[in-house]
Amino acid sequence: YSLALMILLNDIHYTQLTATHYCAIARLQPIGTRLWRDHSTALTPITLSTSSLDKASLSSQTFCVVSPSYNPASDFSSLGATKQDLLNKKIKRQSQRTGVRILLNRLLAELGIADTLDESAFPYRLKNHRHYVCFSHSADRVAVALSFDSAIGIDIEVKSVAWQVAKRFYHPSEIAMLEQLSLDKRDYLVRLLWQIKESLIKINQITLAAGLGRADLPLVQTLIERDSGDSIADDTIKNNSSARELFIKLNQDAQHRVAYITDYQTIVVF
C-alpha cells in the first residue's frame, strides 16, 4: 500500500507581462487522502503534453502525491517525529514539483501552445518551440514563468527573509546600505532584493552563494529610492492591475525588466 495525498491546484492567476513573457501563480490545496494498492495504475492520470489542447481535460487541477511504504494498519500518528517530518517534507516537495508542471500545462493551454517540457538541461525549455521556462514555489504557492525569446527568472516568497540570513549572504556594502533604513522598510527590501537575486541566479545559472553575495549596489539604491510597495512601480502591466514593472539597470551593459506581482509576492526578471 501507499498513501496518496490528493491536491487541488487552486486560485490560478495568469499575468501577461509583455507580448512574449507570461507567468502563472497558484495555490496547492490538500483535499484528502486515499490508499493506493495498485502501483501499476495512477490514481489521477497526469499528462504534461498539451498536444490535444483539450481544455476540458486540463481544467481538472487535481493530482495526487504518493508516499512510499505506507502501512494501512497504522497512520501518520504512529510514526516517530523524525520520520513523520521527513515524510511530510518529501510529500511537500513532490506536491510542489508536480504542481508547477501542471501549472505550466495550464498556462500553455491558455496560450494555445502545443508542446512539452524539456528537462534535460538548465534553463528548462519547451521541446519544440524552445521557449524558456522557470519554476518557483514557496509553502503552498507555486509559480511558473514563460519567455519566448530569452532566459527568464521567477521567485515567489510567502515568508519574509530574516535579517540574520541576509547578513550571512548579502555583500557587506549592501548590508551597510540596508542598515540605514527603518526596520519595516529594511525588511521589505531585504525580501524584494532576495527575490530579484534568486531570479537572476536562475537566469545566469550561477550558484546561490555567488548570486546572493554579488554586490548589486545600483539595484539596492534603486529599490531604496522607490521606497515602498505602493510607490515601487512605474507602469501597470497590461491586463493586470496587481502586476507592475520596474526598469532596473543591473550592470553597465545589461538591463532587465523586473515585474513585481504584489498580490502574490512574486518577482519575475526578464
Side-chain angles (χ1 to χ4, degrees), residues 171 173-174 197 210-218 250:
H171 191 277
S173 297
E174 294 176 330
K197 284 175 175 283
L212 293 176
R214 186 175 64 180
D216 290 317
L217 303 186
L250 299 173

Side-chain angles (χ1 to χ4, degrees), residues 4-232:
L5 176 64
M6 307 303 296
I7 296 174
L8 173 67
L9 205 63
N10 199 12
D11 189 23
I12 300 179
H13 179 83
Y14 301 103
T15 301
Q16 178 181 348
L17 305 172
T18 72
T20 58
H21 301 88
Y22 300 84
C23 70
I25 305 161
R27 182 168 57 90
L28 300 175
Q29 180 182 350
I31 55 175
T33 58
R34 59 178 291 186
L35 290 180
W36 186 26
R37 179 183 299 176
D38 183 3
H39 288 237
S40 66
T41 304
L43 281 171
T44 305
I46 297 172
T47 175
L48 294 183
S49 169
T50 57
S51 57
S52 65
L53 291 180
D54 181 359
K55 288 197 175 185
S57 63
L58 289 172
S59 66
S60 175
Q61 294 114 235
T62 304
F63 64 96
C64 64
V65 174
V66 180
S67 63
S69 304
Y70 178 75
N71 181 0
S74 62
D75 56 29
F76 280 123
S77 62
S78 67
L79 294 174
T82 301
K83 289 184 177 180
Q84 183 173 338
D85 288 343
L86 291 174
L87 180 59
N88 289 339
K89 288 179 180 178
K90 183 172 183 177
I91 291 175
K92 178 181 177 180
R93 286 194 301 269
Q94 290 176 336
S95 301
Q96 292 169 334
R97 187 178 190 279
T98 305
V100 292
R101 284 157 176 79
I102 293 179
L103 184 58
L104 171 62
N105 236 17
R106 295 299 307 278
L107 178 59
L108 293 180
E110 286 289 318
L111 298 176
I113 297 175
D115 213 334
T116 56
L117 181 64
D118 180 1
E119 301 185 54
S120 62
F122 291 108
Y124 290 159
R125 302 182 74 170
L126 298 183
K127 287 184 178 179
N128 298 320
H129 290 75
R130 305 308 295 164
H131 296 344
Y132 293 82
V133 176
C134 187
F135 295 136
S136 182
H137 48 72
S138 177
D140 65 345
R141 292 284 179 174
V142 290
V144 58
L146 181 71
S147 168
F148 291 7
D149 48 29
S150 59
I152 189 169
I154 188 169
D155 188 66
I156 184 169
E157 294 288 343
V158 173
K159 298 180 180 179
S160 61
V161 176
W163 177 238
Q164 291 302 318
V165 174
K167 289 172 67 175
R168 177 183 173 189
F169 286 100
Y170 288 176
H171 191 277
S173 297
E174 294 176 330
I175 294 298
M177 296 174 71
L178 293 167
E179 282 179 329
Q180 305 305 312
L181 307 175
S182 66
L183 289 181
D184 287 345
K185 184 174 178 180
R186 183 199 72 186
D187 290 345
Y188 171 76
L189 293 185
V190 160
R191 182 172 70 177
L192 198 61
L193 181 61
W194 185 283
Q195 290 182 262
I196 295 173
K197 284 175 175 283
E198 281 260 24
S199 298
L200 287 168
I201 286 169
K202 295 171 183 178
I203 290 174
N204 298 319
Q205 294 298 302
I206 57 178
T207 65
L208 185 69
L212 293 176
R214 186 175 64 180
D216 290 317
L217 303 186
L219 170 59
V220 176
Q221 185 60 41
T222 299
L223 295 179
I224 290 174
E225 290 172 355
R226 292 173 185 269
D227 195 10
S228 71
D230 293 330
S231 62
I232 200 166

